[in-house]
């Protein structure tokens, strides 16, 4: 284990977080908020600690190996959450440091689960920082670093460990170029969403402040879900909600598709089976839930409003964003079951969304079908393909391992959270909501307008760890927790 190199890279991460902590300082100056000094002190502390870590960098730069890269990524996310939580507790906005870490981890992992019962009580600068953690975590702090910091062989391991989906590292040959392209697309889409918000204000289709526009765009881009209002997005106009729906779905698409579109390789983008199934699942879920609500009756006054709110909720859940315009915790059981399935499926690999990912679900489905055919025809040989390419046994094995670990972690987490005696629906969906980085669950306690404040300290620790596991897709954190990782070989 290359300890000195890992610590020095953690120092780089702390310098980046310290620099980003200066952005809410600008908001504090604009609104004349006294939390400015807390933010400045936090930024300075992060920078100072980062500088001390960088001093440990070995004179002869050594490349990181796979194990080092995964450990460094897991430690980075823990460290930025611990540092990012300081302004909340130091300012008194969230007195409990555990609650502040829960909130910050939820922000950086783009989960959107909150312990706050009255979001609007927070000062603007801390609301901005809270939403900005979504934007930073959406594409990944280390992906940002790779776009600006010249790293060598360690780039591949950092990008593989942190980037949202396995296809990112194959998008272009050079890791730094890949990270730069990713962030350019990410920034452009965020700005485009803000532009559509402002056009709505210009043409009188809805009222939204510049502050709200920025914060909601950050939450949408990172598929995070922190709102700046206690009512979520329920008080905004139908146009602004529709814009958010469209961009939530777009940020759930594999970013390699946008890369192909930029390169005018339209055929490759069109024939991406994962993206096709992603939209088929969204459309099917909207049809099923809308029909269920209309047949049940009493939820929305018109068919248009039903489809509008269902589309928003489906887009919010499958992309693991977590925004809410309606309390789907009060919907019929069939509709909530469909949403629970969407929670598990999640968005596309290579997107900012969480969940198991559509590609993994497709591979698991194809594997089950192939195994069934093999039982019927024992001597047959079937080659599994996706998008016309053979799926290697290594990918299939990795997918199966992910699913087994995912199921085991979910079961253990549910057992631990159930000690709080909130009921099965709350225990199960709170774990699903955090492990899949969604935020709201399907019960009233943790629904779109609920809060995680009532959970015990143990449950908050478990759910915080679930957020991290879900965002880093299990294995970097599992390696960090494994004693074998720290042994000398």
């Amino acid at each position: 284990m290359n300890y000195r190199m890992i610590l020095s890279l953690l120092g780089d991460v702390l310098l980046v977080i310290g620099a980003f902590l200066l952005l809410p300082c600008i908001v504090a100056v604009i609104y004349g908020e006294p939390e400015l000094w807390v933010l400045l002190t936090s930024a300075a502390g992060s920078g100072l600690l980062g500088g001390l870590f960088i001093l440990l960098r070995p004179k002869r730069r050594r490349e990181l190996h796979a194990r080092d890269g995964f450990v460094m990524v897991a430690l980075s996310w823990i460290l930025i959450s611990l540092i990012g939580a300081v302004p909340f507790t130091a300012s008194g906005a969230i007195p409990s440091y555990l609650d502040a870490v829960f909130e910050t981890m939820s922000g950086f992992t783009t989960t959107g689960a909150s312990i706050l019962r009255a979001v609007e009580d927070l000062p603007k600068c801390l609301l901005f920082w809270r939403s900005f953690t979504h934007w930073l975590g959406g594409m990944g702090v280390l992906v940002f670093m790779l776009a600006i910091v010249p790293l060598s062989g360690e780039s591949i391991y950092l990008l593989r460990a942190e980037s949202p989906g396995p296809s990112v590292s194959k998008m272009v040959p050079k890791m730094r170029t890949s990270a730069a392209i990713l962030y350019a697309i990410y920034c452009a889409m965020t700005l485009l969403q803000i532009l559509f918000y402002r056009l709505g204000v210009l043409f009188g289709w809805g009222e939204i402040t510049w502050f709200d526009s920025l914060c909601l765009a950050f939450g949408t881009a990172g598929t995070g879900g922190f709102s700046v209002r206690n009512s979520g997005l329920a008080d905004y106009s139908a146009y602004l909600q529709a814009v958010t729906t469209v961009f939530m779905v777009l940020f759930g698409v594999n970013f390699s598709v946008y890369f192909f579109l930029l390169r005018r390789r339209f055929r490759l983008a069109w024939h991406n089976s994962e993206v096709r199934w992603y939209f088929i699942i969204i459309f099917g879920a909207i049809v099923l839930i809308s029909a269920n609500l209309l047949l049940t009756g009493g939820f929305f006054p018109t068919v248009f409003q039903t489809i509008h709110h269902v589309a928003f909720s489906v887009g919010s859940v499958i992309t693991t964003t977590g925004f809410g315009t309606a309390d789907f915790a009060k919907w019929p059981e069939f509709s909530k079951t469909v949403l629970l399935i969407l929670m598990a499926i999640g968005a596309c690999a290579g997107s900012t969304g969480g969940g198991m990912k559509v590609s993994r679900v497709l591979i698991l489905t194809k594997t089950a079908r192939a195994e069934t055919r093999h039982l019927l025809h024992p001597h047959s040989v079937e080659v599994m393909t996706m998008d016309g390419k053979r799926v290697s046994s290594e990918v299939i094995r990795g997918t199966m391992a992910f699913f087994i670990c995912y199921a085991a972690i979910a079961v253990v987490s549910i057992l631990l959270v159930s000690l709080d005696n909130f009921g099965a629906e709350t225990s199960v969906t709170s774990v699903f909501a955090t492990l899949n980085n969604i935020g709201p669950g399907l019960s009233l306690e943790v629904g779109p307008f609920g809060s995680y404040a009532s959970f015990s300290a143990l449950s908050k620790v478990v759910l915080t760890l679930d957020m991290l596991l879900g965002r880093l897709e299990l294995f970097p954190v599992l390696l960090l927790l494994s004693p074998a990782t720290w042994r000398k070989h």
Side-chain angles (χ1 to χ4, degrees):
M1 186 77 71
N2 192 348
Y3 293 106
R4 293 188 67 180
M5 194 63 195
I6 290 173
L7 285 174
S8 68
L9 287 172
L10 289 175
D12 291 330
V13 173
L14 286 171
L15 287 179
V16 170
I17 293 301
F20 280 127
L21 273 166
L22 296 175
L23 291 178
C25 292
I26 299 172
V27 178
V29 170
I30 292 172
Y31 290 97
E33 294 173 332
E35 288 76 14
L36 169 65
W37 301 109
V38 172
L39 289 164
L40 284 173
T41 304
S42 301
S46 181
L48 179 61
L49 186 60
L52 292 174
F53 281 7
I54 289 173
L55 291 177
L56 298 173
R57 181 166 291 160
K59 293 181 180 179
R60 291 188 61 187
R61 193 180 186 92
R62 294 170 55 192
E63 293 184 357
L64 295 181
H65 298 292
R67 179 179 59 168
D68 303 327
F70 285 113
V71 167
M72 187 266 169
V73 167
L75 288 175
S76 294
W77 282 79
I78 293 171
L79 192 58
I80 63 176
S81 297
L82 295 175
I83 295 294
V86 170
F88 293 109
T89 301
S91 65
I94 304 178
S96 166
Y97 184 63
L98 175 60
D99 285 353
V101 171
F102 181 98
E103 196 79 10
T104 310
M105 181 67 81
S106 180
F108 278 118
T109 58
T110 71
T111 303
S114 179
I115 52 84
L116 295 172
R117 288 191 171 96
V119 175
E120 294 173 27
D121 290 347
L122 260 64
K124 297 282 188 184
C125 58
L126 292 183
L127 278 177
F128 179 90
W129 173 241
R130 180 173 174 264
S131 295
F132 190 65
T133 56
H134 276 338
W135 194 85
L136 278 177
M139 194 55 66
V141 178
L142 295 175
V143 177
F144 174 82
M145 279 182 56
L146 292 174
I148 61 172
V149 179
L151 299 176
S152 52
E154 58 264 30
S155 300
I156 180 65
Y157 299 120
L158 297 182
L159 194 59
R160 271 178 49 196
E162 189 199 46
S163 59
S167 62
V168 175
S169 60
K170 299 178 181 178
M171 187 163 36
V172 286
K174 294 182 180 179
M175 294 301 101
R176 193 178 181 193
T177 305
S178 173
I181 292 172
L182 281 170
Y183 252 96
I185 296 172
Y186 190 54
C187 293
M189 291 177 65
T190 306
L191 291 173
L192 190 61
Q193 182 180 349
I194 294 171
L195 174 62
F196 273 98
Y197 280 155
R198 303 320 301 169
L199 285 175
V201 175
L202 180 65
F203 290 105
W205 298 333
E207 290 297 325
I208 185 171
T209 64
W210 274 101
F211 179 82
D212 286 17
S213 298
L214 285 170
C215 291
L216 293 185
F218 291 154
T220 307
T223 58
F226 279 154
S227 179
V228 293
R229 296 189 182 182
N230 296 328
S231 58
L233 271 74
D235 293 340
Y236 295 102
S237 69
Y239 167 81
L240 296 172
Q241 293 171 353
V243 168
T244 308
T245 302
V246 170
F247 277 93
M248 283 191 297
V249 172
L250 291 177
F251 279 107
V253 171
N254 191 319
F255 269 61
S256 63
V257 170
Y258 300 129
F259 176 74
F260 292 143
L261 292 176
L262 287 174
R263 295 287 300 273
R264 298 184 180 180
R265 300 171 71 178
F266 302 112
R267 188 173 180 179
L268 282 175
W270 176 254
H271 288 286
N272 187 301
S273 58
E274 180 186 31
V275 174
R276 285 204 311 274
W277 275 103
Y278 170 69
F279 282 106
I280 289 171
I281 292 169
I282 289 175
F283 178 77
I286 291 172
V287 171
L288 289 173
I289 296 176
S290 296
N292 183 229
L293 294 184
L294 289 170
L295 289 173
T296 306
F299 291 96
F300 302 103
T302 66
V303 174
F304 172 79
Q305 287 186 27
T306 301
I307 297 173
H308 170 79
H309 289 291
V310 168
F312 186 98
S313 299
V314 167
S316 179
V317 169
I318 194 170
T319 62
T320 70
T321 304
F323 281 141
T325 58
D327 193 353
F328 49 70
K330 297 178 180 178
W331 289 0
E333 289 302 314
F334 176 82
S335 296
K336 290 198 290 185
T337 302
V338 174
L339 291 177
L340 186 65
I341 295 170
L342 296 181
M343 284 183 178
I345 294 173
C348 298
S351 73
T352 61
M356 286 183 58
K357 301 297 193 312
V358 175
S359 58
R360 286 197 180 97
V361 174
L362 288 177
I363 291 172
L364 288 171
T365 304
K366 288 175 179 285
T367 301
R369 186 176 62 181
E371 188 63 25
T372 303
R373 289 180 177 177
H374 183 69
L375 291 173
L376 295 173
H377 307 284
H379 301 293
S380 65
V381 177
E382 184 171 340
V383 178
M384 187 187 303
T385 60
M386 280 188 66
D387 301 330
K389 297 180 181 179
R390 180 178 176 274
V391 179
S392 68
S393 57
E394 182 183 354
V395 171
I396 296 172
R397 187 174 65 250
T399 303
M400 295 299 294
F402 176 90
F403 180 73
I404 292 168
C405 292
Y406 175 92
I409 291 166
V411 169
V412 172
S413 298
I414 290 169
L415 285 172
L416 291 173
V417 172
S418 67
L419 293 173
D420 284 355
N421 291 316
F422 278 121
E425 189 174 45
T426 299
S427 300
V428 171
T429 62
S430 64
V431 169
F432 262 66
T434 50
L435 186 57
N436 294 301
N437 303 133
I438 297 164
L442 299 181
S443 68
L444 293 177
E445 288 87 352
V446 294
F449 304 113
S451 165
Y452 286 74
S454 300
F455 283 91
S456 66
L458 172 63
S459 291
K460 287 175 183 175
V461 170
V462 171
L463 297 175
T464 300
L465 184 59
D466 282 344
M467 294 181 216
L468 184 63
L469 283 160
R471 177 57 181 83
L472 297 184
E473 302 198 334
L474 308 186
F475 294 111
V477 183
L478 294 179
L479 282 174
L480 183 67
L481 298 175
S482 172
T485 303
W486 304 98
R487 294 186 193 134
K488 292 183 178 180
H489 297 284

